[in-house]
Amino acid sequence: MTLNHFKPSLFTGLLCLVLFSGCDPDGTDSEIDFDRSAYLQHLGDEIIVSEYAQMVDLSMELHLACEQLISDPSESQVVLTREQLKLAYLQWQRVAFFDFGPASNRALSQTVNSFPTDGNKIELAILNENWTPGTPTTLDNIGLPALDYLLNFNESAVETAQEMADNPLRAAHASRVAEYLTSEVSSVHTAWNGAYLDAFKASDGVEMGSSMGEVLNAFNRVFEGDVRKNKLGLPSGISTFTQTPRPDLVEAPYAAVWSIDLMYEAMVMADLIYHGNAKTADNAALGLDDYLNALGDFEYGSGLNNDIETQLDIAMESVLSLQDPLALYVTTNQQESFDVYADLQALVVLWKVDMMSSLGILITYQDNDGD
């Protein structure tokens, strides 16, 4: 369900201008008890760099598993490689929210998880010994979706292993795709560990181009476009002109039963970013919830945080009400899918419209859906 609450988009901006120096272009909110510098240090050191490090490790393990398939195209190795692929897929849901800076510079989201993938192009690439990833023509046939096709197209692990044995080029291509994936995420992780991290922590204002602006624009853009729309809105049909279900557009369609797990992991990460850590953690770290609470006991401060807390819980529970395979569910339970979408949309309004206005941070991206 969608919460009915005061939406402060314009009014809050005016109040912020009058009441809080934190909403002026200089970003000097001495009257607000929130340390943006400490928040950025925690976010950069303990969340972003850590999550990328985990993505690199899982990508490397996935690449090794794919390499092993070349010499050992067995049922057990196929099962192991599929497990590694799912782990990397889940971890991607976490780092996908940091689509700015080094990730944006390398178009990481496009190279890692552009879906749906093009099976015909993958079949041609398997035979191409001079295949070169990372070009515009390969964006719809590389990354995790391509590996989903290569490893899960045939539901049977026994038959997939036989296909790999009969045509070693299939396993070799899976290894090439995984190798490029590892290279790309490693490059972004390396960049974060370099000068970029120091610059990120030092830019503690709220003006356009500041770290807060970059973080929150990426956060909202990914949640709105990748989580709400791509994972559910398009497959369910609510984001299409005719509202006809498009089950072919679900994430990880060949694995069939991963789509909801991936969506829920994205929700878990959104929750972590908002709170600074898991809500159940003993020592709560600085999060966006603390920032809103620091604005005071107003509708656009702690009141807004309470609304977000409530709707976030509703949306996470709502996602879990979906059933695998999602490609079937969106066709047989379309209205229920629309209801889940509505809960995600309510979060879009709270985060993108209300929170950004309350914090005095400008939205710098555009979407075609409205809010």
Side-chain angles (χ1 to χ4, degrees):
M1 68 178 185
T2 303
L3 292 177
N4 292 318
H5 71 290
F6 171 70
K7 293 181 174 56
S9 305
L10 176 60
F11 186 55
T12 295
L14 296 173
L15 283 175
C16 283
L17 188 62
V18 174
L19 298 176
F20 301 117
S21 57
C23 291
D24 68 28
D26 296 329
T28 56
D29 50 349
S30 57
E31 297 180 35
I32 301 176
D33 186 20
F34 183 79
D35 189 342
R36 280 197 302 265
S37 180
Y39 169 75
L40 292 172
Q41 181 172 346
H42 166 67
L43 183 65
D45 291 338
E46 299 181 42
I47 297 181
I48 298 177
V49 172
S50 176
E51 295 291 348
Y52 270 120
Q54 182 71 359
M55 185 70 207
V56 171
D57 289 345
L58 290 172
S59 299
M60 291 177 65
E61 291 171 13
L62 173 59
H63 179 217
L64 289 173
C66 289
E67 279 195 320
Q68 188 64 31
L69 267 179
I70 300 173
S71 58
D72 177 26
S74 62
E75 177 189 6
S76 60
Q77 187 59 35
V78 168
V79 171
L80 174 63
T81 308
R82 286 175 172 178
E83 291 172 352
Q84 290 300 140
L85 175 59
K86 185 176 183 181
L87 290 174
Y89 241 129
L90 287 168
Q91 184 61 23
W92 170 252
Q93 309 306 314
R94 302 176 71 84
V95 300
F97 281 99
F98 310 123
D99 186 27
F100 60 92
S104 178
N105 292 341
R106 298 194 73 86
L108 191 66
S109 63
Q110 286 75 35
T111 58
V112 172
N113 197 31
S114 288
F115 64 93
T117 197
D118 190 323
N120 292 328
K121 289 183 179 179
I122 294 172
E123 293 295 339
L124 291 174
I126 290 170
L127 304 175
N128 183 2
E129 64 180 26
N130 297 317
W131 177 76
T132 304
T135 65
T137 59
T138 65
L139 292 180
D140 63 352
N141 57 99
I142 57 175
L144 297 168
L147 289 167
D148 177 41
Y149 174 88
L150 289 164
L151 296 170
N152 294 315
F153 184 83
N154 192 323
E155 182 180 356
S156 169
V158 173
E159 294 179 12
T160 298
Q162 189 60 54
E163 290 171 354
M164 298 285 185
D166 293 342
N167 184 3
L169 290 178
R170 298 191 75 83
H173 186 62
S175 178
R176 291 192 297 188
V177 173
E179 182 179 24
Y180 182 69
L181 169 69
T182 302
S183 173
E184 289 300 288
V185 296
S186 296
S187 294
V188 172
H189 179 239
T190 298
W192 266 100
N193 271 323
Y196 186 82
L197 180 59
D198 291 335
F200 173 80
K201 291 186 287 188
S203 177
D204 59 0
V206 294
E207 68 280 359
M208 185 183 297
S210 65
S211 293
M212 289 297 301
E214 294 286 288
V215 167
L216 292 184
N217 270 280
F219 175 78
N220 280 289
R221 186 179 68 252
V222 171
F223 185 82
E224 180 180 20
D226 295 349
V227 180
R228 179 209 58 158
K229 182 178 180 179
N230 292 347
K231 296 182 192 300
L232 185 60
L234 290 174
S236 70
I238 198 170
S239 296
T240 65
F241 180 74
T242 62
Q243 295 202 336
T244 301
R246 290 291 307 275
D248 56 308
L249 298 182
V250 299
E251 188 173 18
Y254 301 103
V257 293
W258 294 358
S259 304
I260 296 170
D261 287 343
L262 299 178
M263 194 186 314
Y264 187 72
E265 190 67 17
M267 297 298 298
V268 169
M269 191 59 190
D271 181 291
L272 184 146
I273 294 171
Y274 181 72
H275 290 100
N277 61 3
K279 286 188 291 185
T280 56
D282 293 332
N283 297 313
L286 279 177
L288 299 171
D289 57 333
D290 300 302
Y291 201 166
L292 287 177
N293 285 333
L295 297 179
D297 187 15
F298 300 102
E299 287 291 333
Y300 51 82
S302 60
L304 177 55
N305 175 59
N306 291 337
D307 284 351
I308 292 173
E309 296 269 5
T310 301
Q311 189 60 32
L312 184 52
D313 287 342
I314 290 171
M316 293 181 75
E317 184 176 343
S318 188
V319 167
L320 289 178
S321 73
L322 298 167
Q323 296 176 19
D324 277 318
L326 184 61
L328 176 62
Y329 188 83
V330 295
T331 60
T332 59
N333 298 77
Q334 188 183 38
Q335 184 55 55
E336 288 84 351
S337 302
F338 285 4
D339 292 342
V340 176
Y341 178 91
D343 287 332
L344 298 179
Q345 173 61 17
L347 273 176
V348 170
V349 175
L350 288 165
W351 275 332
K352 178 185 176 182
V353 181
D354 297 356
M355 181 180 72
M356 294 291 273
S357 180
S358 289
L359 300 182
I361 297 175
L362 182 67
I363 289 288
T364 56
Y365 71 95
Q366 293 183 341
D367 67 272
N368 299 318
D369 297 336
D371 301 310

